[in-house]
Amino acid sequence: MTKSKKQLREQHAAREAAEANTARLETCNDAYTSGAFHYLRFLVHLLAAAQFSYGIYYYLFKLYWPKGLHEEEELKTRWGGKFKYLTFLDVVLQAIYHTVALLNDLFGDNSVTGVSKSLLRRLRDYFFATFAFPIAHNVATSFWVIYLWDRELIFPAELDAIFPSWLNHVVHTNVALLAIMDLFTCFRHYPSRLAGVTGNAAFMILYVIWVHIVKYFSGVWVYPLLEVLSMPLRFVMFGGLVGLSLVCYFVGEFINNIVWAPEFKLLQQKKVKQG
């Protein structure tokens, strides 16, 4: 049976809409994967990877605690090393993430697409959503709030002679700022809620366990604030630390969906047309 003029018009309109949607996606990808945007994303990842890697090096090999400590104080200071601080663990996470992102810029896939076939791209997206963004903002928020309230509870004034100001901002400020820049320059699909939330919560719970292990062997809490809190309040603080990390995860997901809403809409329209 021959098609009616109405059906032919509808098919023609649908074909034109699909072609227009494809053209918009191609234009979006051209702008996103080449030109100024491409170089900006590469520069962000290069500078971040270099900055955090140098921060780790300085943190490990250039920071020295005062000499002449008694044996008991030496144990308290040294047990767990730099790895007992969430700040240091976070800067390690940031260095790993931005290195992976940099490798993806060079050898992977940055296109606006559905599920990418690139392993580097999938690893980059999961690592950012689950660890890099929420842990960075957890560290920055909790540190600066407590610091402004009473710095002696988290970063005593005597540390100023040991811990340079620039390094303080690298590990407590830049981690969050560069994560935000990355959010605005890298199109990504967030993982499923189960995978993302489980990974994030597991990391933070393991850190809380690690803090207690350090306390058991060294005899002191990692942060001075924990020394002045009662046991119930410490549980509240640890719960709040895990909870804040999860809040930061959902904030990152929410912002990502807003920033890249036009691209998600184009992909959804393409999927519907193909379906």
Side-chain angles (χ1 to χ4, degrees):
M1 179 181 294
T2 59
K3 295 180 179 179
S4 66
K5 291 183 178 180
K6 181 180 179 182
Q7 289 175 319
L8 289 173
R9 285 196 300 269
E10 289 175 349
Q11 286 184 346
H12 181 68
R15 185 165 54 252
E16 286 186 336
E19 290 174 353
N21 185 71
T22 300
R24 286 196 296 270
L25 263 179
E26 290 176 353
T27 301
C28 178
N29 270 313
D30 287 342
Y32 181 65
T33 59
S34 61
F37 206 89
H38 164 76
Y39 291 112
L40 174 61
R41 180 174 56 247
F42 179 81
L43 184 62
V44 167
H45 293 149
L46 177 63
L47 292 178
Q51 176 184 157
F52 295 133
S53 296
Y54 181 72
I56 292 170
Y57 164 76
Y58 195 96
Y59 212 126
L60 285 174
F61 302 109
K62 297 295 184 179
L63 288 184
Y64 298 102
W65 296 108
K67 297 181 179 180
L69 294 175
H70 294 297
E71 184 176 344
E72 181 181 356
E73 292 297 318
E74 177 78 8
L75 175 63
K76 293 178 181 179
T77 301
R78 304 294 180 183
W79 210 97
K82 310 294 195 308
F83 291 91
K84 60 177 173 282
Y85 301 110
L86 184 59
T87 292
F88 182 74
L89 295 176
D90 174 52
V91 78
V92 171
L93 289 176
Q94 302 306 316
I96 293 173
Y97 167 72
H98 285 284
T99 300
V100 170
L102 185 63
L103 291 174
N104 182 70
D105 291 339
L106 295 171
F107 308 111
D109 172 34
N110 279 315
S111 61
V112 177
T113 184
V115 179
S116 175
K117 295 181 180 179
S118 169
L119 177 61
L120 280 170
R121 167 73 175 272
R122 297 198 302 272
L123 179 61
R124 183 203 72 176
D125 290 354
Y126 180 81
F127 204 93
F128 177 87
T130 306
F131 305 115
F133 185 90
I135 304 300
H137 286 81
N138 189 343
V139 167
T141 302
S142 55
F143 176 83
W144 288 113
V145 167
I146 297 174
Y147 185 95
L148 293 174
W149 177 35
D150 184 356
R151 68 167 297 178
E152 295 300 318
L153 296 176
I154 195 167
F155 196 82
E158 56 262 27
L159 288 180
D160 289 342
I162 305 170
F163 208 94
S165 177
W166 67 264
L167 183 60
N168 188 21
H169 284 292
V170 165
V171 300
H172 292 127
T173 307
N174 293 2
V175 287
L177 295 179
L178 285 165
I180 292 175
M181 292 181 66
D182 188 274
L183 188 66
F184 279 84
T185 55
C186 289
F187 174 82
R188 63 173 47 82
H189 291 275
Y190 258 59
S192 68
R193 285 281 178 83
L194 179 61
V197 169
T198 300
N200 181 269
F203 179 87
M204 293 306 303
I205 291 172
L206 287 174
Y207 178 70
V208 170
I209 294 172
W210 171 235
V211 167
H212 283 81
I213 292 173
V214 172
K215 170 65 168 66
Y216 177 81
F217 284 101
S218 69
V220 295
W221 290 104
V222 172
Y223 302 106
L225 174 61
L226 295 170
E227 298 285 355
V228 301
L229 294 179
S230 62
M231 183 178 292
L233 288 178
R234 280 200 297 268
F235 281 121
V236 170
M237 179 179 171
F238 288 132
L241 192 66
V242 176
L244 178 59
S245 186
L246 292 174
V247 168
C248 291
Y249 174 91
F250 289 119
V251 168
E253 182 184 49
F254 177 73
I255 297 174
N256 186 73
N257 290 338
I258 291 178
V259 170
W260 299 102
E263 287 74 17
F264 285 128
K265 184 178 180 180
L266 287 174
L267 289 174
Q268 183 62 30
Q269 290 174 347
K270 180 181 179 181
K271 184 177 180 180
V272 170
K273 296 297 182 183
Q274 291 176 341

